[in-house]
């Protein structure tokens, strides 16, 4: 597993963290992240993984909010997701960015990482962020539609 290095491919046009085609999961500590990466590999996951310490999350991912709270014609939920990530990182949670290959299945991913302590996991797809591990426990996955306002005129 490599260390997370944030680049422009992991942000939307407004510069907010939105790694399309990836899952970003948070865990109580680094050991849980490493165990989850091993569990993913054992489950046959094909994509790469990258580790993000709480400091990296707070310094790199959270800073992408920038002026995202300013009124824009198409405000999505990506800012809310970054704030949720920031809250958990502020409590000491560690992150893992997981590349989703075409052959990968989200159910298999959740079955691999949840027992290793994943407290939340967001699957960033085009126009939708799917909450794979919802809080509180017991509720099914939720999807959030982002940035799909139709142009007027």
């Amino acid at each position: 597993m490599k260390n997370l290095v944030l680049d422009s491919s992991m942000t939307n046009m407004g510069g907010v963290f939105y790694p399309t085609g990836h899952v970003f999961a948070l865990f109580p500590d680094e050991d849980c992240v490493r165990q989850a990466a091993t569990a993913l590999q054992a489950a046959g996951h094909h994509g790469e993984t990258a580790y993000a310490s709480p400091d990296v999350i707070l310094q790199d991912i959270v800073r992408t909010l920038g002026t995202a709270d300013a009124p824009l014609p198409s405000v999505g939920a990506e800012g809310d997701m970054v704030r949720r990530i920031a809250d958990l990182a502020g409590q000491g949670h560690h992150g893992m960015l997981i590349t989703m290959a075409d052959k990968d299945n989200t159910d298999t991913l959740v079955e691999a990482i949840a027992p290793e302590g994943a407290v939340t996991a967001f699957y960033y797809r085009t126009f939708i962020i799917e909450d794979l591990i919802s809080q509180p426990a017991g509720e099914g996955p939720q999807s959030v539609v982002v940035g799909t306002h139709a142009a007027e005129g």
Side-chain angles (χ1 to χ4, degrees), residues 9-74:
S9 71
M10 297 176 195
T11 60
N12 65 12
M13 290 189 326
V16 178
F17 183 68
Y18 198 104
T20 303
H22 293 79
V23 170
F24 191 76
L26 288 135
F27 300 82
D29 57 45
E30 184 177 350
D31 286 340
C32 290
V33 173
R34 303 239 178 248
Q35 291 168 0
T38 301
L40 278 172
Q41 189 175 29
H45 183 79
H46 298 90
E48 295 181 359
T49 57
Y51 167 72
S53 69
D55 287 341
V56 167
I57 295 169
L58 294 170
Q59 292 173 13
D60 294 345
I61 294 175
V62 175
R63 77 164 171 75
T64 68
L65 276 176
T67 59
D69 291 326
L72 296 172
S74 177

Side-chain angles (χ1 to χ4, degrees), residues 129-143:
I129 303 171
E130 188 175 351
D131 191 348
L132 300 176
I133 300 175
S134 51
Q135 299 169 336
E139 293 181 14
Q142 301 173 354
S143 295

Side-chain angles (χ1 to χ4, degrees), residues 63-139:
R63 77 164 171 75
T64 68
L65 276 176
T67 59
D69 291 326
L72 296 172
S74 177
V75 177
E78 51 266 50
D80 291 336
M81 297 302 166
V82 172
R83 282 186 280 284
R84 287 175 62 187
I85 291 168
D87 287 344
L88 289 166
Q91 296 170 26
H93 285 76
H94 297 244
M96 180 168 52
L97 185 68
I98 306 160
T99 304
M100 294 297 287
D102 290 339
K103 299 176 184 178
D104 292 324
N105 177 294
T106 56
D107 291 336
T108 303
L109 180 138
V110 170
E111 289 169 9
I113 68 172
E116 304 304 333
V119 295
T120 195
F122 303 115
Y123 183 17
Y124 290 84
R125 299 184 298 149
T126 304
F127 301 122
I128 294 175
I129 303 171
E130 188 175 351
D131 191 348
L132 300 176
I133 300 175
S134 51
Q135 299 169 336
E139 293 181 14

Side-chain angles (χ1 to χ4, degrees), residues 138-152:
E139 293 181 14
Q142 301 173 354
S143 295
V144 178
V145 177
V146 294
T148 58
H149 295 265
E152 294 184 62

